[in-house]
């Protein structure tokens, strides 16, 4: 029966070859892309071969990205990467990057135009939901789903109900997309969107850059969300122009589409937020957490490792030094971002401030390598999770925040509001 | 599918970093993963869990990453079934895809104590606490998921249905 649909329902209906789908319906759908990384793809490759797989369904619709334990952390992870590399070459995959071309999957694929608006995508990585920012339906799955997808080009889905999140008001200075999504997660709870698709709308979202939208969609999973979409607009179209490797399909939700729930947020009085250990929903304004002394600051990741994020951090770090107690690690998400940061002089700012600059890798975010925490240590991070042991020892702590808060905190040696360091370079911070 | 076993109990929001920490994800060998299963939530668990045991948990079990290593480590360690108040979506999907049955039952998950014996009839959706005698009726597993489990997981299902274009 004809029914109004949300953007999520329209994409799923199209991919299932149906006119309409409704929440709760089980569908088998044709995928526009499937992807995996050096942790999840090895299992998928073993299952692919183990079940008689010879050729992937379409060499242009399978992307493999080694980003978690690369540059190879140890012998075992080197073996995993090798497995990916050999598979990618054998299958002649179009979307495989090696050497200095590889970056963090959820920044790299949009940047290279491999994921495009209107796509249905599964990725064997929970932050696959990032691509929702482009108006694609993208969701995280496991290795077996990836194996089946590589074999058949299809996946099963239960059509999720949608939750609409409307953001209104005027964004105060220092408040960023990271704060908006932390605010939403705090309200929804870490399982508030479980089995559901989020849709970010409202004038504040319209005013966000693609970078900001990626940050928000990226963390939909931290509220349990199956996906987190933004309906494409002029910003999306401009981003896709000359970049999209396939023809974008711009879907919009019908005006009378049905939502399970609508939540409204007024951001006008919002302050920069921090998610305290050990849940992303454990959110408090940074101004109430200024006594939290830090050992490490981590700026980067699929959440906040784009050039806009690095600029935000560099603005505060320029001409200053990070605290001698705080190991400050900058990890740009892709080689293109890395080079752009170099070109803009940001790398000079970071190195002069005493930061460590890492190659693109997921390493520190998941306590993999390149910045693991010891017992009792605390980090502020622009990443997406602060679970027990996420960044290292089970008795270490992670505070999630925006790049501005992370940079200000690195300078102060404790959680700090960007205001506290801005324009004060003659009074504090610079010690010779 | 019927199971009977001793229970281990965990709280709300047990995430995949606790089920199998990232430091062990440089391998996908099921036995190696099983040797560290749940150790960040309960360091004693890998040494104690026996084939046929049942894990109880609160809300949102398996939240966080998409790593299939989490249900795989639990299954390989011998866990026969997980009963939780609710599961995070990707974990739920992964468990069925690898043929590990899991059930959502808030009452059974909260009222059953660690160490008690329970019997589960997944087909009928019945959980019985053998220590207290209390019986719980669970929501039936959706028909498609039953097909997956009956086939022995997604790959078997796909193989059988490949000709039908899955």
């Amino acid at each position: 029966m004809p029914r109004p649909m949300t953007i999520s329902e329209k994409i799923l209906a199209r991919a299932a070859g149906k006119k309409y789908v409704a929440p709760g319906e089980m569908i088998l759908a044709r995928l526009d892309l499937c992807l995996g990384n050096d942790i999840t793809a090895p299992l998928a490759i073993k299952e692919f071969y183990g079940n008689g797989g010879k050729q992937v369904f379409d060499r242009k619709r399978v992307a493999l990205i080694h980003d978690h334990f690369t540059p190879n952390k140890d012998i075992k992870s080197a073996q995993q990467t090798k497995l990916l590399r050999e598979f990618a070459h054998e299958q002649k995959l179009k979307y495989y990057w090696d050497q200095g071309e590889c970056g963090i999957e959820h920044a790299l694929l949009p940047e290279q135009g491999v994921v495009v608006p209107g796509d249905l995508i599964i990725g064997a990585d929970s932050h696959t939901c990032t691509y929702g920012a482009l108006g694609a339906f993208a969701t995280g799955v496991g290795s077996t789903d990836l194996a089946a997808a590589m074999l058949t080009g299809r996946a099963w889905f239960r059509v999720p109900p949608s939750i609409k999140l409307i953001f209104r008001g005027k964004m105060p200075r220092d408040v960023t997309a990271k704060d908006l999504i932390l605010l939403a997660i705090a309200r929804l709870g870490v399982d508030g969107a479980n089995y559901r698709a989020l849709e970010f709308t409202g004038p504040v979202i319209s005013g966000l850059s693609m970078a900001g939208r990626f940050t928000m969609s990226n963390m939909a999973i931290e509220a349990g969300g199956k996906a987190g979409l933004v309906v494409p607009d002029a910003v999306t179209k401009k981003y896709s122009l000359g970049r999209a490797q396939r023809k974008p399909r711009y879907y919009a939700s019908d005006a009378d589409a049905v939502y399970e729930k609508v939540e409204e947020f007024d951001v006008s009085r919002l302050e920069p937020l921090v998610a305290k250990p050990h849940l992303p929903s454990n959110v408090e304004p940074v101004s109430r957490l200024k006594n939290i002394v830090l050992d490490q600051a981590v700026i980067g990741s699929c959440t906040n490792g784009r050039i806009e994020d690095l600029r935000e951090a560099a603005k505060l770090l320029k001409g200053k030094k990070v605290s001698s107690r705080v190991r400050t690690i900058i990890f740009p998400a892709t080689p293109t971002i890395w080079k752009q940061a170099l070109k803009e002089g940001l790398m000079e700012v970071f190195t002069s401030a005493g930061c460590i600059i890492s190659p693109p890798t997921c390493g520190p975010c998941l306590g993999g390598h390149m910045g693991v925490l010891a017992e009792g240590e605390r980090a502020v991070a622009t990443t997406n999770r602060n679970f027990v042991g996420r960044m290292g020892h089970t008795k270490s702590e992670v505070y999630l925040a925006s790049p501005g808060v992370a940079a200000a905190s690195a300078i102060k040696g404790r959680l700090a509001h960007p205001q506290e360091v801005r324009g004060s370079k003659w009074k504090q911070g610079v010690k010779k | 599918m019927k199971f009977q076993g001793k229970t281990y109990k965990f709280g709300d929001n047990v995430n995949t970093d606790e089920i199998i920490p990232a430091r062990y994800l440089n391998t996908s060998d099921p036995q190696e993963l099983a040797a560290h299963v749940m150790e960040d939530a309960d360091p004693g668990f890998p040494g104690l869990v026996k084939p046929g045991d049942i894990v109880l948990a609160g809300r949102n079990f398996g939240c966080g990453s998409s790593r299939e290593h989490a249900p795989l480590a639990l299954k390989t360690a011998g866990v026969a079934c997980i009963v939780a108040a609710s599961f995070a979506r990707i974990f739920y999907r992964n468990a069925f895809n690898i043929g590990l049955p899991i059930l959502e039952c808030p009452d059974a998950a909260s009222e059953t104590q660690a160490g008690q014996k329970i019997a589960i009839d997944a087909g009928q959706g019945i959980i019985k606490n053998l220590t207290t005698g209390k019986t719980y009726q669970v929501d039936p597993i959706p028909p498609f998921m039953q097909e997956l489990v009956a086939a022995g997981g997604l790959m078997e299902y796909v193989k059988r249905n490949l000709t039908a274009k899955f």
Side-chain angles (χ1 to χ4, degrees):
Chain A
M1 207 182 85
R3 62 183 295 277
M5 290 192 287
T6 64
I7 178 173
S8 297
E9 290 155 7
K10 285 183 185 180
I11 295 171
L12 290 168
R14 188 264 301 159
K18 294 179 168 218
K19 271 202 146 125
Y20 303 96
V21 292
E25 198 175 330
M26 299 290 300
I27 56 166
L28 284 172
R30 189 184 289 269
L31 301 165
D32 296 295
L33 190 82
C34 61
L35 61 122
N37 59 48
D38 53 315
I39 288 180
T40 58
L43 267 176
I45 292 169
K46 280 183 204 167
E47 291 203 54
F48 177 85
Y49 285 134
N51 287 282
K54 295 210 164 50
Q55 257 193 330
V56 298
F57 79 106
D58 185 342
R59 66 168 202 93
K60 294 180 202 147
R61 292 181 187 273
V62 178
L64 293 184
I65 308 98
H66 39 62
D67 54 4
H68 278 63
F69 286 130
T70 52
N72 295 334
K73 173 199 175 198
D74 51 22
I75 295 169
K76 283 184 183 171
S77 52
Q79 292 296 134
Q80 305 266 79
T81 313
K82 190 178 168 200
L83 193 64
L84 252 71
R85 181 177 294 112
E86 288 172 352
F87 184 78
H89 289 158
E90 185 199 287
Q91 296 288 326
K92 301 188 170 56
L93 297 187
K94 185 174 179 195
Y95 299 121
Y96 169 76
W97 300 261
D98 216 330
Q99 309 281 12
E101 290 182 338
C102 201
I104 299 176
E105 49 193 334
H106 307 311
L108 186 72
L109 297 190
E111 173 194 282
Q112 300 294 319
V114 179
V115 290
V116 305
D119 272 356
L120 175 63
I121 300 162
I122 62 165
D125 188 277
S126 61
H127 292 107
T128 301
C129 52
T130 309
Y131 318 135
L134 287 165
F137 191 95
T139 190
V141 298
S143 301
T144 299
D145 273 308
L146 175 61
M150 292 197 299
L151 209 55
T152 65
R154 288 167 170 78
W156 62 269
F157 297 93
R158 185 162 68 176
V159 178
S162 291
I163 298 176
K164 189 194 270 196
L165 306 180
I166 308 172
F167 294 81
R168 302 183 203 280
K170 190 172 177 290
M171 290 256 276
R173 188 176 192 185
D174 296 320
V175 170
T176 67
K178 183 63 162 279
D179 304 296
L180 303 184
I181 190 63
L182 289 180
L183 180 71
I185 296 164
R187 179 150 348 147
L188 292 167
V190 287
D191 60 352
N194 201 11
Y195 303 111
R196 282 147 184 85
L198 294 177
E199 197 175 312
F200 303 107
T201 78
V204 174
I205 304 300
S206 305
L208 285 181
S209 65
M210 276 314 302
R213 296 177 188 189
F214 284 127
T215 300
M216 294 196 68
S217 291
N218 174 270
M219 290 188 74
I221 178 68
E222 307 325 326
K226 180 168 191 167
L229 288 84
V230 178
V231 169
D233 59 8
V235 175
T236 326
K237 289 176 187 169
K238 194 178 165 205
Y239 182 86
S240 301
L241 198 70
R243 185 192 303 265
Q245 303 217 10
R246 281 173 288 111
K247 195 167 183 287
R249 284 174 281 221
Y250 298 110
Y251 291 95
S253 295
D254 292 324
D256 49 353
V258 179
Y259 293 88
E260 186 186 75
K261 192 157 79 167
V262 177
E263 293 276 353
E264 300 209 27
F265 301 86
D266 184 353
V267 306
S268 300
R269 293 197 180 167
L270 194 59
E271 276 188 63
L273 301 175
V274 172
K276 302 179 291 178
H278 291 287
L279 286 176
S281 58
N282 199 10
V283 169
E284 215 172 319
V286 67
S287 55
R288 280 194 253 155
L289 297 168
K290 289 181 182 173
N291 58 341
I292 301 294
V293 175
L294 301 164
D295 303 284
Q296 183 164 297
V298 170
I299 299 172
S301 81
C302 61
T303 313
N304 280 121
R306 297 180 181 80
I307 190 69
E308 291 84 348
D309 301 309
L310 301 186
R311 285 181 194 139
E312 192 185 322
K315 245 189 259 173
L316 294 163
L317 287 164
K318 190 167 186 182
K320 303 215 170 56
K321 287 271 181 212
V322 299
S323 161
S324 57
R325 292 192 311 272
V326 182
R327 308 179 296 270
T328 305
I329 304 165
I330 312 277
F331 62 124
T334 71
T336 306
I337 296 166
W338 212 105
K339 278 183 269 184
Q340 183 64 24
L342 185 68
K343 210 164 116 187
E344 293 182 16
L346 310 187
M347 295 312 202
E348 171 64 31
V349 171
F350 295 139
T351 47
S352 298
C355 303
I356 304 155
I357 303 176
S358 154
T361 177
C362 306
C365 173
L366 75 158
H369 65 153
M370 304 280 215
V372 177
L373 297 175
E375 182 174 358
E377 286 191 332
R378 277 182 183 151
V380 62
T382 68
T383 55
N384 42 51
R385 291 197 174 124
N386 56 356
F387 297 145
V388 170
R390 172 72 180 177
M391 204 171 261
H393 198 280
T394 50
K395 289 195 178 115
S396 62
E397 294 183 345
V398 178
Y399 293 78
L400 303 175
S402 66
V405 167
S409 304
I411 295 166
K412 293 300 233 180
R414 56 162 174 84
L415 286 179
H417 192 296
Q419 238 167 25
E420 294 180 66
V421 300
R422 187 180 301 112
S424 55
K425 77 174 169 185
W426 306 115
K427 290 179 201 154
Q428 49 186 267
V430 182
K431 280 182 195 144
K432 295 235 164 155
Chain B
M1 281 175 302
K2 293 181 181 176
F3 315 100
Q4 190 172 316
K6 194 179 128 190
T7 58
Y8 292 85
K9 194 164 179 172
F10 297 89
D12 291 339
N13 300 313
V14 172
N15 67 79
T16 54
D17 282 302
E18 290 172 280
I19 299 171
I20 183 73
R23 59 184 176 274
Y24 303 119
L25 295 184
N26 54 3
T27 177
S28 46
D29 176 54
Q31 296 299 337
E32 269 187 73
L33 295 171
H36 300 289
V37 67
M38 303 296 288
E39 76 174 27
D40 281 2
D42 174 5
F45 185 79
L48 291 172
V49 65
K50 299 265 182 315
D53 284 350
I54 289 159
V55 164
L56 303 169
R59 278 171 57 170
N60 205 24
F61 184 83
C63 62
S65 92
S66 69
R67 62 190 74 151
E68 204 165 289
H69 310 62
L72 187 62
L74 285 161
K75 189 184 176 195
T76 308
V79 172
C81 185
I82 306 169
V83 179
S86 67
F87 293 92
R89 190 199 124 252
I90 305 177
F91 185 92
Y92 183 85
R93 190 176 177 102
N94 285 345
F96 280 101
N97 279 346
I98 66 164
L100 172 65
I102 61 178
L103 293 169
E104 291 191 341
C105 183
D107 289 345
S110 71
E111 290 170 14
T112 309
Q113 300 307 312
Q116 291 182 337
K117 272 204 148 190
I118 62 174
I120 296 172
D121 184 332
Q124 301 288 318
I126 295 165
I127 299 172
K128 186 172 185 190
N129 185 323
L130 300 174
T131 311
T132 65
K134 188 159 180 185
T135 301
Y136 305 86
Q137 182 70 46
V138 199
D139 277 344
I141 297 173
F144 176 71
M145 318 300 282
Q146 286 185 32
E147 282 181 52
L148 283 185
V149 176
L154 180 66
M155 291 314 282
E156 285 300 322
Y157 179 86
V158 166
K159 268 200 291 188
R160 284 184 206 176
N161 293 279
L162 253 187
T163 45
K165 279 280 173 203
F166 175 35

